Amino acid sequence: MNIQLNGENTPVDDGATLTDVINNLPLQGSRYAVEVNEELVPRSEHDRYHLKEGDSVEIVQAIGGG
Amino acid sequence: MSENNDTFSVAGREFSSRLLVGTGKYKDMDETRAAIDASGAQIVTIAVRRTNMGQNSDEPNILDVLPPDRYTILPNTAGCYDQKTAVRTCKLARELLDGHNLVKLEVLGDEKTLFPDVMATLKAAEELIKDGFDVMVYTNDDPIIARELEDMGCAAVMPLAAPIGSGLGVRNPLNIRTIVENAKVPILVDAGVGTASDAAVAMELGCDGVLMNTAIAAAQKPVLMASAMKKAIQAGREAYLAGRMQAKRFASASSPLEGLFF
């Protein structure tokens, strides 16, 4: 199936969890936060959050800003 | 009040530095670190953006350069033009900072001026406060709106001196003074400072602090300007506490007239 990952159409395994998606990204050791369909998904729920076709996932981090 | 323990507190957190700095627009992380070090700031703002998926993954993250155990991180909602995106941004920031609930709310109304959308700001502030956030809120220099934001429960009210990034200095000192006089929460000038004297003016008006970014980052020598700002904030604060002399139209000799021998 396909999801929107930070605005990019991205194929993932059917029934993939947020953790599955995150583990494929070079995010180890960095601070990030995750939204699905404009709703925050707390870290404690990533393991059991199963994505659906067309879900829009945003993964954000802190950057310099004023 | 002694000048030595002249701290200010916001949402139960106490700070000795009254200069708050942004971390945007620097050449690189080394310059960011050096400028923030020279500024003496304890509160630093950050923005929340999409992660960089793999490109430049060697580049240090801002939170490695400015670790949350040494600095109070103040996530902002820069770039938000409506209540919903501002609230989403704050929730994401709280998650990525392990529950840290202090945020800088700004809801912009116009790309040309970056003036706040006050109606949306009020609604977003209300929603965030209900959700347990401590909200430091960017607004315009309107005393009535400042009072409304305070009454609603904002932790600090931060009127602009002039448009964000403009460097025009305090354009409406009388309004800033009125906001300060009315307030029981900290009032910080946020945005529009251009050089050290602007920061001193804000502090002489009685502001509790000043938040700036471009004035330091866009200086020819940012680290030197950061040091100048630190001193200007301290000088302006001391001048405010000292209570300035009344300005007079005509001269008043400083040397005694008695004992003149001619």
Side-chain angles (χ1 to χ4, degrees):
Chain A
M1 65 177 185
N2 285 288
I3 60 168
Q4 293 291 311
L5 180 57
N6 283 4
E8 300 278 338
N9 197 36
T10 307
V12 297
D13 293 340
D14 284 355
T17 64
L18 269 180
T19 301
D20 296 333
V21 171
I22 291 163
N23 282 346
N24 278 325
L25 301 170
L27 291 171
Q28 281 65 36
S30 62
R31 284 173 180 267
Y32 57 86
V34 181
E35 263 188 351
V36 179
N37 302 331
E38 303 190 354
E39 291 287 339
L40 178 78
V41 181
R43 224 165 301 169
S44 57
E45 294 174 19
H46 292 181
D47 275 346
R48 52 193 147 97
Y49 194 105
H50 292 273
L51 293 162
K52 299 186 302 295
E53 172 74 32
D55 274 349
S56 174
V57 177
E58 294 288 345
I59 304 179
V60 301
Q61 64 180 359
I63 64 152
Chain B
M1 195 187 302
S2 152
E3 294 85 52
N4 296 326
N5 58 8
D6 177 36
T7 58
F8 95 105
S9 66
V10 59
R13 302 159 169 91
E14 195 152 343
F15 303 97
S16 53
S17 169
R18 292 169 179 273
L19 174 57
L20 289 68
V21 296
T23 56
K25 297 186 179 174
Y26 287 100
K27 192 177 66 192
D28 53 34
M29 286 294 176
D30 285 342
E31 190 183 73
T32 308
R33 190 194 332 252
I36 284 154
D37 193 40
S39 77
Q42 295 168 299
I43 304 177
V44 297
T45 68
I46 54 114
V48 177
R49 293 292 182 269
R50 282 175 169 164
T51 48
N52 192 334
M53 295 301 193
Q55 309 99 319
N56 307 324
S57 57
D58 303 340
E59 200 173 274
N61 184 263
I62 190 77
L63 296 178
D64 300 327
V65 175
L66 305 168
D69 57 353
R70 273 186 48 209
Y71 293 92
T72 296
I73 306 295
L74 182 62
N76 70 26
T77 61
C80 293
Y81 284 83
D82 58 69
Q83 175 185 352
K84 184 170 184 189
T85 51
V87 170
R88 282 172 61 196
T89 302
C90 290
K91 287 181 177 176
L92 285 163
R94 182 168 61 182
E95 166 78 4
L96 75 83
L97 292 169
D98 304 324
H100 174 72
N101 67 345
L102 187 69
V103 291
K104 173 187 159 178
L105 172 65
E106 58 181 283
V107 186
L108 303 172
D110 174 62
E111 283 177 25
K112 185 173 177 183
T113 63
L114 298 180
F115 280 145
D117 176 337
V118 170
M119 282 84 74
T121 300
L122 287 163
K123 288 181 195 153
E126 190 172 22
E127 186 176 349
L128 289 167
I129 291 164
K130 265 190 199 148
D131 195 7
F133 284 95
D134 291 328
V135 178
M136 300 177 73
V137 59
Y138 163 72
T139 185
N140 59 20
D141 55 11
D142 178 339
I144 308 304
I145 296 299
R147 189 180 61 197
E148 186 69 26
L149 288 162
E150 174 176 351
D151 289 348
M152 166 182 296
C154 289
V157 177
M158 307 202 290
L160 52 80
I164 295 171
S166 70
L168 288 169
V170 181
R171 304 309 291 176
N172 201 341
L174 295 177
N175 275 26
I176 298 292
R177 173 169 286 161
T178 303
I179 291 170
V180 168
E181 285 171 356
N182 291 343
K184 292 189 187 65
V185 294
I187 302 296
L188 296 94
V189 153
D190 176 9
V193 164
T195 188
S197 53
D198 298 334
V201 165
M203 295 308 294
E204 287 170 11
L205 289 167
C207 289
D208 296 277
V210 176
L211 199 169
M212 66 180 74
N213 190 152
T214 311
I216 296 174
Q220 300 294 308
K221 295 179 180 172
V223 179
L224 190 55
M225 186 58 89
S227 165
M229 289 299 187
K230 177 183 180 178
K231 292 165 184 155
I233 294 285
Q234 286 169 350
R237 177 66 183 170
E238 288 181 18
Y240 171 71
L241 293 175
R244 62 153 296 155
M245 62 165 281
Q246 285 298 312
K248 300 187 203 77
R249 182 170 174 197
F250 291 114
S252 166
S254 299
S255 300
L257 295 173
E258 293 103 61
L260 280 176
F261 56 91
F262 44 81

